[in-house]
Amino acid sequence: MIDLEKLTKNLKANGFEVAHFNTKEEAREYLSSKLNGRTIGFGGSITTEEMQLIDALKENNTLLHHWHEGILSEAAKADVYISSANAIAETGEIINIDGTGNRVSSMAFGHEEYYMIIGKNKIAKDYDKALWRARNIAAPKNAQRLNRNTPCAKKGDKCYNCNSPERICRCLNVLWKKPGSFKTFEIILVDENLGY
């Protein structure tokens, strides 16, 4: 059983702001009301796609999303960045694995504000379980989605630490504390399964 109170307490102790919502619609409305007239970069995220967040924000903001416009470097310079993570531990660590490096670099530096949306399926008990989840659940599903020629994509069961040129696990970022360069780094917890 996940302890959201413990997770929230640990994230706040690590310098993060935390908001909790029962549904993705509530979280989408919260971000829509908060972000107007901004330039917003998006990392590749099934979570934000499932929330239909881009549609909700595009009328009142300038959006830079590499899945839709092919703009990685421009999104990396946006004042605001929105993405998800592969796993988060009740003990407060946030883990992301990336192939290109755009999401993990944006998690660490370069924006005034960062909003990270986390569905309940991504919460693990501790750091080791969160790292295991990122490598053995999220990464194989993303490799399958991208049709990569990797053992994890073919079998869909775990990370094989492969040497395939199509490997998507190339960068690992662990946030122990809120990075010092951000004015705002808010974790949006949603009590629904979202993304991988």
Side-chain angles (χ1 to χ4, degrees), residues 60-129:
N60 300 317
N61 299 283
T62 300
L63 304 185
L64 303 168
H65 192 302
H66 72 273
W67 281 1
H68 298 279
E69 292 129 10
I71 307 173
L72 286 176
S73 60
E74 295 302 314
K77 295 184 248 179
D79 292 338
V80 178
Y81 200 84
I82 298 175
S83 193
S84 187
N86 299 128
I88 190 168
E90 276 184 17
T91 46
E93 300 90 358
I94 303 166
I95 297 174
N96 222 351
I97 294 174
D98 205 353
T100 306
N102 62 305
R103 291 180 310 134
V104 297
S105 63
S106 283
M107 279 175 67
F109 183 79
H111 309 281
E112 284 184 28
E113 300 175 35
Y114 194 110
Y115 297 92
M116 181 176 286
I117 305 157
I118 305 287
K120 68 178 183 179
N121 53 311
K122 296 185 177 184
I123 304 170
K125 280 287 184 190
D126 56 36
Y127 170 79
D128 289 336
K129 287 181 174 64

Side-chain angles (χ1 to χ4, degrees), residues 1-89:
M1 188 78 169
I2 299 302
D3 188 340
L4 280 177
E5 188 174 318
K6 177 182 177 183
L7 172 58
T8 299
K9 179 182 175 184
N10 287 328
L11 287 171
K12 287 182 176 180
N14 290 340
F16 298 100
E17 296 174 38
V18 182
H20 178 240
F21 300 95
N22 291 321
T23 68
K24 62 180 180 262
E25 290 81 13
E26 291 173 3
R28 183 179 65 220
E29 179 58 34
Y30 171 74
L31 288 168
S32 295
S33 66
K34 192 169 190 165
L35 299 172
N36 287 293
R38 309 297 300 276
T39 299
I40 304 172
F42 277 84
S45 170
I46 296 297
T47 294
T48 60
E49 295 285 311
E50 290 176 351
M51 290 176 65
Q52 299 176 337
L53 189 58
I54 289 172
D55 289 338
L57 294 176
K58 70 182 177 184
E59 287 185 34
N60 300 317
N61 299 283
T62 300
L63 304 185
L64 303 168
H65 192 302
H66 72 273
W67 281 1
H68 298 279
E69 292 129 10
I71 307 173
L72 286 176
S73 60
E74 295 302 314
K77 295 184 248 179
D79 292 338
V80 178
Y81 200 84
I82 298 175
S83 193
S84 187
N86 299 128
I88 190 168

